[in-house]
Amino acid sequence: MTTTPNRDAAPQYVLPLVVRLERDAPPSRTAALEAAAQAVPAFLADERSVGDGEWAERITAWTDGRIRKVVRRARGAEWRRASALDGLTWEHDGAEVRVFPPVPLDGWPKDLARLQVSGTDLTDPEPPPAPGPGVPVLWLNPELDMTAGKAMAQVGHGAQLAWLRLGDEARVRWAADGFPLAVRTASAADWPALTRGDLPLVRDAGFTEIAPGSCTVVADVPELRGGYA
C-alpha cells in the first residue's frame, strides 16, 4: 500500500520570481505572464538544478512541500541588486523575469524580502493574437480576476506541471526551441471542456486573492494530446 506524502508536514520553501517593472517602460501583461511561464521550466532545466547541481538540493526541499511561487517587482537599483543574487534571468518580448533558487518560506534574502508584491497590475495595449499552431498554451480561467503578479505565479505552476508530464525527448525539444508558449484567457464556452480533460490543471491553495481550490490554469501542450512537434 502506498501513501500520499503529507506536503504540509514538510519544511515549506518558496520559489521567488522578480519581474522588472521600470516606471517608464513596463512590459505588457501578456509578455510578463509568458516570461514568467517560460522562466520556470528554463530554471528547472538549468544544469544547476539537476543531478548534483548547486540548486538541486533546494529544489528537492521545495518540491517535497507545497510548490509555492511568489512574484515580486523591482526597478532601477532594486533590480540591479536582485540581479546580483544567484539566479536565472529570462527575457521575452520586452519582459524580464529573474528566478531564484527556492528559499525557506520565512527566510528570504533581504534584497528580495524588501521588494513589493503589490503593484503588478499590467495591461495589454491590444488583445494578444491567437496562439500559433502547435504552440503550448496556458489557458487562464475566464471567471477569475487576478493581478498580473498572481497570474504570473499561476502560469509558472502550469508550465512546471507541463514540464513534469513531458517525456525526456519532448523536454529536450522544448528547451532547444526556447520554451515557446502562449498565455491566453480561455473563453467561457471552452473553459469547462479544458478542465474535464487529462491536461495539467492548476488548483490554487488560496493563500492570496482567490478561493482555495480554484482552478486557475490549464496547460494545453501538444505532447500531452499526442506529440510535441
Side-chain angles (χ1 to χ4, degrees):
M1 177 179 178
T2 59
T3 58
T4 302
N6 185 353
R7 295 188 179 278
D8 291 317
Q12 297 298 303
Y13 282 70
V14 61
L15 187 75
L17 295 91
V18 174
V19 58
R20 185 177 186 179
L21 293 186
E22 298 296 343
R23 198 181 306 275
D24 58 346
S28 71
R29 180 183 174 95
T30 295
L33 267 59
E34 292 177 346
Q38 291 175 326
V40 171
F43 175 81
L44 295 173
D46 191 280
E47 62 182 10
R48 292 166 288 184
S49 297
V50 299
D52 296 327
E54 61 195 84
W55 298 340
E57 186 174 342
R58 278 178 284 176
I59 290 174
T60 298
W62 169 54
T63 55
D64 282 348
R66 288 192 174 272
I67 304 176
R68 297 181 67 172
K69 298 177 182 70
V70 172
V71 177
R72 297 181 182 236
R73 60 181 173 86
R75 62 168 60 98
E78 294 174 333
W79 175 257
R80 291 190 292 273
R81 285 193 294 267
S83 297
L85 300 176
D86 195 23
L88 179 151
T89 296
W90 190 264
E91 299 182 18
H92 168 74
D93 198 19
E96 290 182 73
V97 173
R98 188 163 179 83
V99 189
F100 303 86
V103 298
L105 189 58
D106 297 320
W108 286 62
K110 66 177 183 179
D111 283 334
L112 297 182
R114 67 179 59 174
L115 300 177
Q116 295 294 312
V117 176
S118 61
T120 54
D121 293 323
L122 301 171
T123 59
D124 284 316
E126 56 188 37
V135 173
V137 182
L138 300 175
W139 294 106
L140 291 163
N141 186 337
E143 299 177 355
L144 296 178
D145 184 18
M146 295 183 284
T147 63
K150 178 70 173 181
M152 288 170 68
Q154 297 302 301
V155 297
H157 294 331
Q160 181 172 356
L161 293 180
W163 176 257
L164 294 174
R165 287 269 298 271
L166 288 172
D168 291 341
E169 291 185 5
R171 287 184 183 181
V172 170
R173 292 196 299 273
W174 198 24
D177 290 343
F179 303 101
L181 57 79
V183 176
R184 299 291 186 269
T185 299
S187 70
D190 290 342
W191 179 251
L194 288 168
T195 61
R196 286 196 297 267
D198 190 39
L199 296 171
L201 188 152
V202 178
R203 289 187 182 274
D204 191 60
F207 294 117
T208 60
E209 293 193 26
I210 57 179
S214 298
C215 299
T216 58
V217 176
V218 172
D220 190 355
V221 180
E223 169 73 14
L224 304 180
R225 288 186 181 269
Y228 174 67

